């Protein structure tokens, strides 16, 4: 079953006085359970595409259907609701709240979803268990390593049980070992049926995914390669 479908998505940004097209007629269909990596040079439009898929930004033109719903006419508040319901987002820099401990950081999306406090904490603790941080639930971000912070961010992304996990360079700020731990978690989530879309510069990371797409100068190339293959 298709969870999302993009048709002819374009995005223009005003640079100087002129609009510049940074996404050009992007078409992409993601099936439930897909594990996809998107690769491409710096400035090719990867984050722009991810932000549109994650409802953090809207396209200039084109159609985005998520879980059978056309997002075209949604206003900011409605988009925020869609994002909270369907999407878990992991960024290169973890964006944790510095004064909140791990469990409260992870519980935050549940606050926006009006879940009662006790259940929020229970579900957050459970989610931290999934990423192997059950012994760190009361640690503040500055008391954890980068890899641990990213695992907290993954637990936060997963706590709402989203339909789609998006990750923009999730290992970009991590050393090889912490990056591998993060990728092991992604692999496990994928094996459990999670739909994952991630951006990476790193061919070894992309190999973990089952499909790899390339984006070049705002165009998503239609040829898709399987993960695990060596690419020229
Ligand atoms: N808010 C903005 N205003 C104007 N131009 C923008 C804006 N955001 C991005 N761009 C431009 O859009 C293009 C694509 O940017 P994007 O961030 O999507 O690239 P990227 O592929 O994620 O690159 P990187 O690998 O460096 O993260 C770039 O040329 C960038 O300068
Ligand atoms: Mg980017």
């Amino acid at each position: 079953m298709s969870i999302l479908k993009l048709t002819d998505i374009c995005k223009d940004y005003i640079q100087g006085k002129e609009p510049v097209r940074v996404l050009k007629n992007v078409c992409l269909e993601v099936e439930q359970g897909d594990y996809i990596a998107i690769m491409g040079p710096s400035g090719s439009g990867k984050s722009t595409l991810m932000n549109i898929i994650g409802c953090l930004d809207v396209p200039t033109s084109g159609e985005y259907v998520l879980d059978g719903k056309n997002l075209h006419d949604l206003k900011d508040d409605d988009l925020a609701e869609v994002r909270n319901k369907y999407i878990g987002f992991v960024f290169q820099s973890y964006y944790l709240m510095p004064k909140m401990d791990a469990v409260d950081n992870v519980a935050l999306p549940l606050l926006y979803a009006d879940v009662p406090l006790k259940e929020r904490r229970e579900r957050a603790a459970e989610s931290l268990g999934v990423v192997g941080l059950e012994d760190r639930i009361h640690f503040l971000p500055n008391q954890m390593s980068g890899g641990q912070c990213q695992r907290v961010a993954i637990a936060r992304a997963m706590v709402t049980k989203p339909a789609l996990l998006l990750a923009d360079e999730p290992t970009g700020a991590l050393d090889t070992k912490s990056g591998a731990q993060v990728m092991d978690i992604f692999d496990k989530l994928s094996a459990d049926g999670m739909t994952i879309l991630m951006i990476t510069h790193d061919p070894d990371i992309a190999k973990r995914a089952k499909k790899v797409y390339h984006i070049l100068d705002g165009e998503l190339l239609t040829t898709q390669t399987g993960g695990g293959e060596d690419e020229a």
Side-chain angles (χ1 to χ4, degrees):
M1 200 185 96
S2 157
I3 165 134
L4 75 84
K5 190 168 181 205
L6 305 178
T7 311
D8 284 327
I9 292 287
C10 294
K11 179 72 182 179
D12 297 347
Y13 281 123
I14 305 292
Q15 293 174 356
K17 284 191 177 129
E18 299 294 308
V20 175
R21 183 144 291 187
V22 299
L23 288 179
K24 300 167 184 163
N25 299 90
V26 170
C27 298
L28 174 68
E29 194 162 357
V30 177
E31 305 286 331
Q32 198 129 35
D34 265 346
Y35 188 3
I36 297 173
I38 296 177
M39 300 191 76
S42 183
S44 57
K46 302 182 297 297
S47 294
T48 305
L49 176 61
M50 206 60 136
N51 291 343
I52 288 172
I53 294 173
C55 301
L56 294 170
D57 200 356
V58 290
T60 306
S61 62
E63 189 177 72
Y64 180 7
V65 176
L66 178 65
D67 193 31
K69 281 179 274 294
N70 195 320
L71 303 187
H72 187 66
D73 292 320
L74 295 191
K75 300 280 171 287
D76 284 357
D77 284 357
D78 299 322
L79 276 179
E81 211 174 303
V82 169
R83 187 161 67 235
N84 192 265
K85 179 160 175 218
Y86 287 100
I87 309 228
F89 221 133
V90 177
F91 300 92
Q92 177 171 338
S93 38
Y94 334 110
Y95 294 125
L96 300 178
M97 306 299 269
K99 291 190 176 146
M100 287 186 183
D101 64 10
V103 75
D104 279 345
N105 264 290
V106 173
L108 208 51
L110 298 175
L111 174 66
Y112 302 133
D114 291 328
V115 176
L117 177 67
K118 186 165 175 286
E119 187 187 335
R120 289 205 298 272
R121 291 240 166 93
E122 282 167 5
R123 284 173 61 181
E126 196 183 318
S127 199
L128 281 164
V130 173
V131 299
L133 289 177
E134 50 281 276
D135 56 346
R136 291 288 187 278
I137 62 176
H138 293 306
F139 280 54
L140 293 168
N142 68 6
Q143 297 169 325
M144 289 183 284
S145 69
Q148 287 168 340
C149 285
Q150 191 60 303
R151 280 147 68 198
V152 173
I154 295 169
R156 180 183 56 189
M158 295 306 297
V159 76
T160 53
K161 306 206 182 304
L164 189 61
L165 178 61
L166 302 179
D168 191 344
E169 298 271 3
T171 63
L174 303 179
D175 61 85
T176 311
K177 185 164 167 253
S178 311
Q181 277 175 345
V182 160
M183 290 317 300
D184 288 345
I185 293 168
F186 276 46
D187 288 358
K188 184 171 172 295
L189 293 171
S190 169
D192 290 345
M194 190 67 211
T195 309
I196 301 175
L197 204 66
M198 68 174 171
I199 289 173
T200 182
H201 272 111
D202 183 340
D204 287 330
I205 299 285
K207 274 185 201 160
R208 303 272 196 137
K210 298 202 182 80
K211 297 177 184 170
V212 183
Y213 288 97
H214 295 263
I215 186 164
L216 207 60
D217 197 19
E219 289 185 62
L220 191 72
L221 306 185
T222 48
T223 48
Q224 155 223 316
T225 55
E229 286 169 20
D230 281 321
E231 290 175 56

